[in-house]
Amino acid sequence: MLFPFAVIAAVPEGDTIYRVARTLQIAIGGRTVTRFQSEFPHLNRIDEDHPLSGRSVESVAAAGKHLLIRFSGDLVLRSHMRMNGSWHVYRPGERWQRRRSDMRVIIETGEWIAVGFSIPVAEFLDSKSLARQSDLSAMGPDALAATFDRNEALDRLRARPDEEIANALLNQRVIAGIGNVYKSEVLFLCRINPFRKTRELSDEDLERILDASRAQIKANVIDAERNGVAFPRAMRVTTRRIDPNAKLWVYGRKGDPCRTCGTPVERRSQGPDARATYWCPSCQP
């Protein structure tokens, strides 16, 4: 049986991290580590003092945009993909789909090899340091979590009255897992202009945005399971259309006609990181 390698897209968001966690869990979860290798000196120092070989992989889980690989003996590898990182899984001896120079972490078991490529952030934590990790402890409600608290997310939005709504959605301390694609798509679906301040929106508007964010990101976590293997869907779809050329409403479509009214879609850099925002000026006045 051939296992598909898991690839995180160029702009990883919560749904892609979740799907890759599922795939890694199926591939290496419960298995014994036979080899660990990393290009990060700080990871290798931990491995030298507390070898990973011989430990079992207890679980692989997503937390917002973070990937958490738990090993026996109270050790967790936290990684964050930022913009270009990815995790793949391969059979021993199988040809890699990315250059070896991009490799940052290898976790090998007898059956599978998990390879982290171009990962900018990776660290080992124990349970105590994991609970204190600043990015995780301050994280807002996870859009994919069964325990998602909409009221808490609403309160966190309201605590940022002067922030433009598109920027607020990207803030992982407000709601975890939403990235640049969903930001533009959700605001189009809710007919909300991305440059409006949070204080200008009603509770009903904000609740609609939160509900749509959660619905869209959950809808894109679809695994076709065959013989116990999860095959992640690589392409995001928000239009629910079959046409492969019509998967998104506005993202990446600057100058193209709006799929609803025909007005050309606009694009503008927004926020302190100058992230691209797409919107329809007619549908989102």
Side-chain angles (χ1 to χ4, degrees), residues 221-236:
V221 177
I222 297 176
D223 293 334
E225 293 199 15
R226 204 177 327 155
N227 298 323
V229 175
F231 291 76
R233 186 174 68 190
M235 178 65 72
R236 258 179 219 110

Side-chain angles (χ1 to χ4, degrees), residues 1 22 38 48 84 89 104 109 169 235 239 244 248 279:
M1 180 179 62
R22 282 280 306 275
S38 178
E48 290 171 2
N84 298 308
V89 290
R104 298 295 179 268
T109 68
L169 285 181
M235 178 65 72
T239 60
L248 300 176
W279 80 103

Side-chain angles (χ1 to χ4, degrees), residues 103-118:
M103 183 277 288
R104 298 295 179 268
V105 179
I106 293 176
I107 302 168
E108 184 170 348
T109 68
E111 298 83 0
W112 300 104
I113 302 173
V115 187
F117 292 101
S118 300

Side-chain angles (χ1 to χ4, degrees), residues 1-6 88-98 100 108 111-113 115 117:
M1 180 179 62
L2 184 63
F3 198 102
F5 59 83
H88 297 194
V89 290
Y90 299 101
R91 286 288 194 188
E94 187 177 359
R95 183 177 178 179
W96 292 0
Q97 301 296 314
R98 289 191 60 172
R100 288 193 172 263
E108 184 170 348
E111 298 83 0
W112 300 104
I113 302 173
V115 187
F117 292 101

Side-chain angles (χ1 to χ4, degrees), residues 22-78:
R22 282 280 306 275
T23 302
L24 289 177
Q25 173 64 33
I26 292 170
I28 64 174
R31 303 187 188 277
T32 300
V33 178
T34 58
R35 181 170 71 99
F36 177 82
Q37 180 181 340
S38 178
E39 294 301 306
F40 293 117
H42 61 281
L43 296 186
N44 288 325
R45 284 195 296 270
I46 297 295
D47 183 46
E48 290 171 2
D49 295 337
H50 308 280
L52 264 74
S53 294
R55 295 176 187 251
S56 61
V57 179
E58 294 186 337
S59 66
V60 185
K65 294 186 179 182
H66 304 262
L67 187 73
L68 305 177
I69 304 177
R70 298 177 185 271
F71 302 92
S72 58
D74 192 23
L75 193 64
V76 180
L77 176 63
R78 179 186 78 91

Side-chain angles (χ1 to χ4, degrees), residues 145-156:
T147 56
F148 178 79
D149 188 334
R150 187 175 73 165
N151 290 331
E152 181 183 351
L154 180 62
D155 289 342
R156 291 183 181 225

